Each structure stands twice: as structure tokens, then as C-alpha cells.
Amino acid sequence: MENSLEKTGSATLPEERIVLIGGRWAGKSWSGNTILRGERFQYGRVRTTQVEVRHGEVEGRKLTVVDAPGWSSCLSLTDIPEGEKQSFKLYASKSPPGPHVFLLVLPIDSAFTQEQRTTLEEHMKLLGGQVWRFTMVLFTCGDYLGEKTIEQHIESEGEALKWLIGRCGNRYHVFNNKDKANLSQVSVLLEKIDKMMKNNGGASYKTDEQTFQIITEKQEDVTRRAKERQTNAEKQRQQRIKLIPEEKKTIPKVQMILLGSRNVGKTSVGNTILGCKDQGGGKRTANSVVKRGFVGETDVALIDTPGWWKGFPAWDTPEIIKEEIIHSMFLCPPGPHIFLLVIDAHASFHNIHLEAVTSHLELLGEGVWKHTMIVFTRGDWLGAKSIEEFIEGEGEALQCLVDQCENRYHVISNKNANDREQITELMKKITETVAENSCNYFAPDQQLLDCIKEKRKCVKEAALLRQKQVNAMRDSAGSRVRLDALKVVLLGQKTFGKSATGNTILRKDVFATCQNEQNREENGVVAGRQVTVIDTPGWWGESSRWTEVLDKEIARGLSLSPSGVHAVLLVVPLIPTFGDPQRVAVKEHMNLFDARIWKHTIVVFTHGDELADRSVEEHIESEHQSLRWLVDQCENKYHTINNIKRRDMTQVTELFEKIEEMVAGNGGQLFCPAMEETHQRIWEKAHRNQLKIVLKQRLASEFKRRELQLIMGFRQTLQDLLADIQASPVATKPTFFIGDMTNKKNKVTEYRKNYKKGEEEKLEAKISREIKKLDEEIMKSPTLQSSMDILVPDFAANSPAEFWSLSDQKISDSNFDKVLGWLSKLHVSTNRDNQLTVNFSETSGYRSVLSLDFDIGSIIND
């Protein structure tokens, strides 16, 4: 158990220790002032960046109030820096020996969503399961209730809030922090805390000592390594300064490119450098744009580029964004002096982020890292922590990136744009980097620009052709009949925006945008039509997470309307890219139904704002061929929707019109799948997946066996070598450095023998260590069997009912069970080239050579 309880005495305590926790801008600091009846914490537009402790005496009680930094309600725990998570676990230790209550602060004036519940639950797990016994919800903004009671608010807000209140044992209280004269609201809160303490037997929450010790040691180690990095970075910087000629202490002209993922403050960095206000109105950067200005005496050309999605590598980024990033180098001929890689100093940075950064920067060409400097944004959120402590505390991925840039980094606060000192220091570091590169530009490869121009020309031509085909198809579809009632079903992968699209269509929040596992049907009157929307569970992008239950539920969604549906809306986002894995997933799920489904399907592209000034046809033609395959399968029936602009009714009415055109083209027929055949296909798919699993097990087991053979063979070689060394004359004779000191010849001879023996002893010790390591590796390996039947069950010998619960199928007679039985006895061996082989037929002699990463599914499906 991570946490324990500590007895503190009687039920009524003279001291009460309180920790305020919750999301940002919830009113924690203000509530702390209300409790202590004074201006003890800064509040309002000032953010709490580090834990603060205040003491006071209120109504005969000695109070200790801890104000903890708030978490971001829109970020999951994986998006939060490691140091922040560690600190959160130790907040309770700031009120020794431990707090009596955690006041979980929630504002009444904003909704408590399912996503916020997930974020809150993840944070509370850091404190251990016992924390809920000591937690009470403190609602702020009580004046927003009006005539409504807090209980009515709780019941009307939804399941997420009711879950939270239940988790806290129905302990809650309401504050109106504006009403300072109302002292009773504090009195009632303290009485509720007294009651909770009595129910807990006078116990207080205490952080586990081992947890405290581990985190404290980690923080001390981070502080030590941060000082070392700071020292090394300063040494490297001094070396760069020496390279600057005296007459070029101020660089006359510099050309820089901003790179980074979305929402890290890239554009704000550019504005802060140039000392100008945001002219884009907060819009996303869709194209690379050049901005010019002077910073001191330096003429600056700054190119802002579109950001990639955080954590997504370059191969998942749409082609147009990659083209714009590459094209940025040609907007400042002959090339940029420096690339400013923007990283958020108040967010996590893991291996997936490192891979994303690396893959995108390497699009620019060899040698890019010598011209790259990291600019950390949101420096104001670091508080008293140095940027080096953030780097060392976040982990190896960020440290690796900083090392790759040879400790060229800088931190700024875009919120404090008037602080020109941070920009002056940045310009000095840029000058030093330019000097280190001998004032040379980063020269881009002209062929890259030629390829972009040629590709864009082809894309425009193909897009125009597709537009003509779509127009011709819509003209020949027959006269559209306006339908009074529409029934649509939503299909798609998880996180693709399916539920959000349903909400946009119905113009109300009825579908939870978190991952749902069951169908849900909702209705509404939209654009004069009675619209029914069926939201099905999204399928997983990874085939390894497939379940038969999920496929059955998706199929059931299409049967909720007995008469059928007018349209199947297959939801696909414009970003990230739609590649082969997504195509395979779509094909597998659409194949559960008969081929007629494509005639009734429209591809609905979400994230319509991603198009900027491009047409959706240009996006289709510029992307992976898998996307064109999908659009062709649907016979050019597609539509773009922007779920952010919910009030834009034209996008919904246009979708309805396209559905009505499709219905007219289908002769008024609705799509109603044959469920018996669909279940048969699901059953067959389940068996195919079982075949894949078994075959992978067989091959993986053989691979491990061969690997162990090689280890044991190498071990034997080392043992033989060791035996030879130990049996050599020099190794068996005792040689000591003794002899006639006057006989130099004997002295040299003995010295050589001793030296040779010493070297052999070192070699012997080294070989012994290697043998010991190999012994440990062998011990880790599974016990080998002469036959691998123990690893793979004989499916033919077992009752299939144990594996498949489909009473309406005669499974015992199925060919699948015969194949499974055959596969369990499949012979895996090696050929002359030491490759894995599978002998499919002992009589024919036919043998296939396979690698462990081959597409097993393609063989089984064929």
C-alpha cells in the first residue's frame, strides 16, 4: 500500500491540516484566503506555480492550509512532466505529519466533463486508494447557483459529477469567495471537516515513507545533474563566444526558422522575438510564412512553419505539412542560419516526442542539428525550478535531444513579452551558434524544392479531375428528394471524431467523446428533418486489441433500425495521415457486412479546419494511396466537417443533401445488413485471428529456441578457450618477481612472464564474467522441450465450445478446427542458410521460408 494512516489523537482536534487541490483557475488560492479570512495567498490572474503553506487561527482551531499548483484539466497524466507528478505525491508532506482533509476544488460556473473526471482520477491515483477517505469536494463560484440548490446542480450536471460526489462519500461544500462578509460558510466547512475527522477516527493521511524517500532521492539527483549540465553548457557557450570576431559581436542579419509541434507557442515565440502582437487571431499556422523586423541592430527574417501533431512521427504527418516545413528553407535564400526548435517546458517529453522531433527535423537534410537550438516556452510555469532541472527531471528522451543540440537551449515566457532581456539573451546565443558554424547558412538541397513543385502540379491536376468526376456523378444521380426523416450510423476508428461528429449533426452534446464500448442512438430535429444518429463503438487501430465482442457490438449498431439506415458515415480525420494500417482496419470491419455497404457509405472527413486554403480533393490526391483507395471504394462520396464550428449549419445541411442524393441513386433503398451472414463472418474472423496467434506462437518459440542454442554454443566456445588458457604452461607455473637483482637478463625475463601472466589472468577473468552473463541469460530463457506441443494447445483434441461460444454453429465439423489441429503439429525448422522454415506438407516436400515479422494475416486470409 502506497500510503498509510496516522493517529493524531481525539476526535475534536485543536489543529486541522488542509491541502487544496484541483484544476487550474478553479479558485484554490482564493478559497485558501476565505478559509484563513485574510489575503494570505496571491490569486486572480497570478498562477500558483509551486506549493505554498500558510498558517492561521480560525474559530479556535489552528489551521495549516497548503495551496498546491493546479493541474491542466485537458491533459492526461502522460502529458504532465515527470517532476510535477513526483511533486504532487509529496504535497501532503508539506503539512506534517499529514493532512486531515484534501479539499478538491471545483468551480460551479464550468461543466465537469467525462474527460475532466479521467484527469482527476489519474491524479488521485498518485495519492493512493486511501486518499478518498480524506477528500471533500469544495465548490467555488457559489453565486452562479442562483435559486438552485447545490444538490440540484449535482443531479443536473451528469454522471461524471455524481460519480465524484459518490467517490468522496457525499462530502461537499459550497463557497462564494466574493462574499467575504459571510463568515458562516467557513464555519460550516470546518464543522464538516470535524465530522469527517471523527469518522476517520482522528487519523490523518500520510505519505508512505518509502515513497517519500525514493522521490526525495530522485529530486536530489536531478538537482545534482542539473548543476552539472548548467556548468557544461556554460563551458560550451564560452567556447562559442571565443569564435565571435570582435567586430561581429552584434550580428547584422540573421535568418531563422521556427519548428515544433502544435500548441507549444511557436507563433508566440516569433511574435515575442520581433516584439509584435499576434496578428493571426489565434489561428493555426497552415502555411510557412515570413516575418521581418529588427531586434536591436539585427535585421531578422523569421519563418513560422505549420506544427506537427505532438507525439506523431513524420510518417503520420500529412504530406502538405511536411512540404511546407521543407519549403520554409527556400523562403529565406540562400538558407537559414538557425532553426529554433520550440518545446513546451510545462509538458511531458517522452520517446514518442523525441521520435516525432527527430523524424521531422531530418526531413530538412543532413547537418541540420549543427544549426538547431531548443527554445523552451512557458518558462513562467517553471516557478523556482531551473530549466536544467526540468531537462534532467523529465528523463532520457529530453536529455538526448538537448545533447543532440550540444546544449544549445534557451527558455522564454511568451506571457511576459515585454521582458526584452530574455530576447537579448536569446539573440546572443543565436550569434554564438552562427559563429560556431563559421557564419555559414544551412544550404537546402534544390532538388527538394523541385520535387515539391512537381508534386503540387500533379496534385492540382488530379484534384481537378476528381472534382469533375464528383460533379458528373451528382448530376447523373437523379433528382434529389428531400427526406423528412433520416437515419444514419457512424462507423470509424477510436479517436477519429465519430461521437463529436454525431453531436455536430444533432447540434447538441448527446454522445460522450470519450471511448465508448456500446452503441447509442439519439434523435433530434435538424434542418426540418427528423434525424436519428446511431453512434457505434470505435474499433482499435492495433489489430492485437481486436475482440469478437466489439465486432458484434458494432454490427448490432447497424441492426438498431429494423428498416435499415439511409447512410453509413465512415468517419476519417484529415490528420494524422490515413495509411496502410488504417486501410486494413477499415477493410476488415467493412467486410463484416456484404459488399452493398459501400453503395450506402459516405466518407466524412473530420478536422475540416486542417484544409486551410486547400480543397479536400487536393488533400486526397496529396496523401497516401490508401486514402484514395477508400474514396474510390465509396465511389467519390465524401464530405468535410469541422466539429469546432458547431454553429455552421451549412456543413450539416450539405451532408444531408449528399445523403439524399445517394439515396436517390440507390433507388430509395436503405441499407439493412443480413445479420446471420454478418455473425458468420465475425465467427470466421475470430478463427482466422486464432490461427494467426498460434502461428506466431510457433514461430516465436522456435526463434527463442534457436537464440538459446546460439547463446549456449557461444558459452561452450568461451569455456573451451578458458580451459586452453588455464592449461597453458605460463598459466600453470607459479611465477614470482624474485631472482638475482644483479642479473638484469633474468629480471627482464621474469618481468615478461609476470606481465604475460597478468594479461592472461585479466583475460581469464573477463571470459569468466562473460560466461556468467551467458549463464544468467540462459536461466532467463524458458525451459526447452524436445517438442513444442506444450507451448501450443492441440485445438483438435479439445472441445471447440471451450474456445467459441456460438451455439448456432456446428463448430466441431468446421474446417477451422481441422486447420488449428494441423497447425498445432506444424513442423518448424531451419534450412542451409539458417533461416526459419515451415514445412506445410511432409509428403510434398514443399517448404516456406518465413521471417518473424511477415504478414501472417495475408497468408491465412488467402
Side-chain angles (χ1 to χ4, degrees):
M1 186 173 73
E2 183 177 309
N3 303 287
S4 59
L5 307 180
E6 181 188 353
K7 292 285 182 179
T8 55
S10 62
T12 303
L13 300 176
E15 181 183 18
E16 292 183 5
R17 298 181 292 275
I18 300 168
V19 176
L20 295 161
I21 58 174
R24 298 173 191 169
W25 314 116
K28 287 184 290 81
S29 303
W30 201 354
S31 297
N33 290 338
T34 300
I35 292 170
L36 292 173
R37 294 176 176 170
E39 302 295 318
R40 307 299 301 280
F41 299 101
Q42 283 188 304
Y43 69 98
R45 297 186 63 84
V46 180
R47 292 175 288 186
T48 304
T49 58
Q50 57 189 25
V51 64
E52 297 180 6
V53 183
R54 301 288 185 271
H55 303 277
E57 187 172 323
V58 179
E59 298 192 2
R61 298 172 178 85
K62 183 180 178 182
L63 299 184
T64 299
V65 179
V66 179
D67 185 16
W71 59 70
S72 173
S73 298
C74 61
L75 294 178
S76 68
L77 207 59
T78 56
D79 296 323
I80 294 171
E82 290 302 312
E84 191 171 314
K85 286 183 278 192
Q86 292 173 6
S87 297
F88 186 80
K89 290 183 178 182
L90 299 188
Y91 289 155
S93 65
K94 300 298 180 181
S95 59
H100 299 104
V101 61
F102 289 91
L103 291 181
L104 182 54
V105 183
L106 284 182
I108 291 174
D109 64 344
S110 60
F112 184 71
T113 64
Q114 193 67 36
E115 289 79 4
Q116 289 173 330
R117 167 189 165 170
T118 301
T119 300
L120 184 148
E121 197 169 7
E122 287 176 338
H123 278 82
M124 297 301 277
K125 282 180 181 178
L126 294 175
L127 302 176
Q130 290 294 317
V131 70
W132 293 106
R133 286 180 56 191
F134 301 92
T135 303
M136 179 187 299
V137 176
L138 177 61
F139 290 103
T140 56
C141 306
D143 51 313
Y144 273 81
L145 285 174
E147 299 298 321
K148 189 162 58 173
T149 65
I150 184 61
E151 287 76 19
Q152 288 173 327
H153 172 76
I154 293 169
E155 292 302 317
S156 65
E157 271 299 289
E159 294 301 319
L161 185 56
K162 286 188 279 189
W163 166 85
L164 176 61
I165 297 301
R167 201 72 180 84
C168 293
N170 280 318
R171 294 182 296 270
Y172 55 87
H173 187 65
V174 182
F175 262 8
N176 178 4
N177 289 315
K178 295 178 181 178
D179 189 4
K180 295 181 180 180
N182 183 7
L183 302 181
S184 64
Q185 59 183 345
V186 177
S187 302
V188 175
L189 171 65
L190 295 177
E191 289 172 5
K192 290 180 179 180
I193 293 174
D194 289 343
K195 182 179 179 181
M196 186 180 73
M197 290 166 60
K198 183 177 180 181
N199 291 337
N200 285 329
S204 63
Y205 173 97
K206 184 182 178 184
T207 304
D208 177 64
E209 290 184 9
Q210 185 177 5
T211 301
F212 179 83
Q213 185 67 27
I214 291 171
I215 294 176
T216 302
E217 289 175 0
K218 282 183 179 179
Q219 290 176 339
E220 290 173 352
D221 184 56
V222 163
T223 302
R224 177 186 58 77
R225 288 188 284 111
K227 290 179 180 178
E228 290 177 1
R229 181 174 292 278
Q230 195 172 28
T231 301
N232 293 334
E234 186 58 33
K235 286 180 181 178
Q236 289 172 292
R237 189 177 177 190
Q238 291 303 318
Q239 291 173 355
R240 296 187 191 106
I241 291 174
K242 291 177 183 179
L243 299 174
I244 303 175
E246 189 62 35
E247 67 275 8
K248 289 189 177 180
K249 290 295 182 182
T250 299
I251 191 169
K253 183 178 181 179
V254 65
Q255 300 185 156
M256 60 183 77
I257 294 178
L258 293 166
L259 299 170
S261 61
R262 298 186 176 192
N263 302 318
V264 294
K266 208 164 28 65
T267 302
S268 296
V269 167
N271 293 331
T272 302
I273 290 173
L274 295 176
C276 60
K277 294 183 178 180
D278 184 15
Q279 301 296 321
K283 290 183 179 179
R284 181 183 63 85
T285 304
N287 302 299
S288 293
V289 292
V290 185
K291 297 179 180 179
R292 299 185 184 277
F294 278 86
V295 179
E297 298 178 4
T298 303
D299 183 7
V300 175
L302 188 147
I303 295 92
D304 192 9
T305 61
W308 57 81
W309 272 26
K310 187 178 180 182
F312 283 79
W315 48 88
D316 281 336
T317 299
E319 293 298 313
I320 188 63
I321 293 180
K322 288 187 283 190
E323 288 176 8
E324 284 296 320
I325 291 173
I326 295 171
H327 188 242
S328 67
M329 298 185 293
F330 299 94
L331 296 177
C332 54
H337 290 100
I338 194 166
F339 297 95
L340 298 182
L341 175 60
V342 184
I343 303 291
D344 187 353
H346 193 61
S348 62
F349 193 92
H350 303 310
N351 285 330
I352 58 169
H353 307 121
L354 177 62
E355 184 179 39
V357 167
T358 303
S359 60
H360 282 93
L361 259 70
E362 290 178 352
L363 294 172
L364 304 175
E366 190 176 350
V368 67
W369 293 105
K370 293 291 291 182
H371 295 262
T372 301
M373 177 190 295
I374 300 171
V375 175
F376 290 101
T377 56
R378 298 187 173 93
D380 49 314
W381 274 104
L382 289 172
K385 187 191 301 182
S386 69
I387 188 61
E388 288 79 14
E389 286 177 305
F390 172 72
I391 293 168
E392 295 302 321
E394 191 54 26
E396 291 184 4
L398 185 57
Q399 294 160 24
C400 179
L401 179 64
V402 175
D403 291 341
Q404 181 79 16
C405 294
E406 298 177 347
N407 275 330
R408 293 185 297 272
Y409 57 85
H410 186 67
V411 59
I412 67 174
S413 169
N414 295 330
K415 290 287 184 183
N416 194 11
N418 294 326
D419 179 12
R420 298 306 294 172
E421 185 61 34
Q422 59 182 348
I423 302 304
T424 302
E425 188 66 15
L426 172 63
M427 292 302 294
K428 288 180 182 178
K429 292 180 180 179
I430 289 174
T431 303
E432 294 157 14
T433 303
V434 172
E436 186 179 26
N437 290 316
S438 304
C439 297
N440 292 327
Y441 299 93
F442 179 80
D445 186 350
Q446 183 63 33
Q447 288 186 347
L448 291 173
L449 181 60
D450 295 339
C451 288
I452 289 173
K453 288 180 177 179
E454 181 62 28
K455 183 177 179 181
R456 288 184 175 179
K457 179 182 175 183
C458 295
V459 164
K460 282 189 176 294
E461 292 173 354
L464 287 172
L465 179 60
R466 187 175 292 275
Q467 283 177 336
K468 289 179 181 179
Q469 291 172 344
V470 170
N471 293 335
M473 178 193 69
R474 295 184 71 176
D475 291 340
S476 62
S479 56
R480 175 178 66 88
V481 178
R482 189 182 187 283
L483 300 173
D484 295 328
L486 280 177
K487 296 178 182 178
V488 299
V489 63
L490 297 164
L491 291 180
Q493 188 172 310
K494 292 182 185 294
T495 73
F496 273 15
K498 209 168 29 62
S499 302
T501 300
N503 292 335
T504 300
I505 291 172
L506 291 176
R507 301 192 70 191
K508 54 184 177 180
D509 291 322
V510 288
F511 300 114
T513 53
C514 58
Q515 294 177 357
N516 58 313
E517 300 300 327
Q518 291 184 326
N519 295 298
R520 182 165 181 177
E521 180 179 339
E522 294 291 343
N523 304 279
V525 177
V526 185
R529 300 168 176 86
Q530 181 64 43
V531 180
T532 299
V533 178
I534 300 169
D535 186 20
T536 62
W539 56 73
W540 294 102
E542 307 86 4
S543 59
S544 59
R545 302 182 74 173
W546 174 88
T547 64
E548 185 181 359
V549 173
L550 184 60
D551 269 10
K552 284 184 176 180
E553 183 64 13
I554 292 172
R556 190 178 73 85
L558 275 83
S559 67
L560 290 179
S561 175
S563 59
V565 294
H566 293 92
V568 175
L569 302 182
L570 183 56
V571 180
V572 174
L574 290 170
I575 186 171
T577 194
F578 186 89
D580 282 335
Q582 290 76 28
R583 177 184 61 82
V584 170
V586 165
K587 190 175 180 181
E588 280 188 356
H589 287 87
M590 296 295 277
N591 283 350
L592 297 178
F593 311 98
D594 59 78
R596 292 182 303 115
I597 191 172
W598 294 107
K599 290 276 187 184
H600 300 265
T601 299
I602 295 177
V603 178
V604 175
F605 291 108
T606 55
H607 301 290
D609 54 312
E610 296 292 334
L611 290 173
D613 56 352
R614 294 178 300 121
S615 67
V616 66
E617 288 79 15
E618 286 177 302
H619 175 82
I620 294 168
E621 298 302 330
S622 66
E623 281 301 295
H624 194 278
Q625 61 181 0
S626 293
L627 185 58
R628 293 190 288 280
W629 168 86
L630 177 63
V631 174
D632 291 341
Q633 280 290 110
C634 295
E635 300 175 346
N636 276 329
K637 299 189 296 290
Y638 53 86
H639 184 69
T640 305
I641 205 161
N642 182 358
N643 289 320
I644 297 175
K645 293 185 177 180
R646 294 264 297 271
R647 294 183 179 180
D648 181 11
M649 271 301 295
T650 57
Q651 60 181 349
V652 177
T653 54
E654 285 177 10
L655 174 61
F656 290 167
E657 289 170 3
K658 289 180 180 180
I659 293 173
E660 289 164 348
E661 288 173 5
M662 181 178 68
V663 172
N666 290 327
Q669 290 186 343
L670 279 63
F671 178 69
C672 187
M675 293 307 296
E676 186 175 344
E677 294 177 5
T678 298
H679 281 290
Q680 174 67 22
R681 293 187 188 98
I682 294 173
W683 176 80
E684 291 172 356
K685 181 180 176 181
H687 278 68
R688 284 197 301 272
N689 280 338
Q690 188 65 39
L691 289 175
K692 294 177 190 179
I693 293 169
V694 173
L695 186 52
K696 282 184 178 179
Q697 284 178 338
R698 301 286 296 168
L699 293 173
S701 299
E702 179 61 21
F703 182 83
K704 288 179 181 178
R705 189 187 69 80
R706 289 184 59 217
E707 185 180 40
L708 188 56
Q709 273 185 336
L710 291 172
I711 292 174
M712 294 178 72
F714 183 54
R715 176 177 176 273
Q716 186 61 48
T717 302
L718 289 177
Q719 285 181 326
D720 293 342
L721 180 60
L722 182 62
D724 290 344
I725 292 173
Q726 291 173 341
S728 65
V730 176
T732 55
K733 282 185 182 179
T735 57
F736 301 96
F737 191 75
I738 56 174
D740 189 356
M741 296 300 292
T742 61
N743 190 337
K744 294 183 179 179
K745 184 176 181 180
N746 290 341
K747 180 180 177 182
V748 171
T749 301
E750 289 299 322
Y751 179 81
R752 286 175 176 170
K753 286 182 179 180
N754 281 313
Y755 178 78
K756 185 175 181 181
K757 179 177 181 292
E759 290 300 306
E760 288 176 344
E761 286 176 346
K762 289 180 182 178
L763 180 60
E764 182 179 339
K766 187 175 182 180
I767 293 173
S768 297
R769 287 196 300 271
E770 291 300 319
I771 291 174
K772 185 177 179 181
K773 287 181 183 178
L774 291 172
D775 285 336
E776 292 173 356
E777 289 295 321
I778 292 169
M779 290 300 293
K780 291 178 185 176
S781 300
T783 305
L784 290 178
Q785 303 288 333
S786 57
S787 169
M788 285 186 292
D789 290 345
I790 192 170
L791 295 175
V792 183
D794 187 350
F795 289 94
N798 289 288
S799 169
E802 294 176 13
F803 300 95
W804 316 105
S805 57
L806 294 174
S807 59
D808 57 337
Q809 302 287 348
K810 295 183 178 179
I811 303 174
S812 59
D813 297 329
S814 77
N815 290 327
F816 281 111
D817 293 295
K818 294 177 183 178
V819 174
L820 286 172
W822 160 77
L823 192 56
S824 68
K825 299 181 178 65
L826 190 65
H827 180 63
V828 183
S829 58
T830 57
N831 60 15
R832 292 182 184 178
D833 298 324
N834 208 29
Q835 295 173 303
L836 281 180
T837 62
V838 179
N839 194 347
F840 287 103
S841 172
E842 294 291 343
T843 56
S844 66
Y846 176 76
R847 182 171 289 188
S848 289
V849 179
L850 304 171
S851 65
L852 281 181
D853 59 349
F854 76 109
D855 186 2
I856 296 174
S858 63
I859 293 178
I860 294 175
N861 290 333
D862 289 344

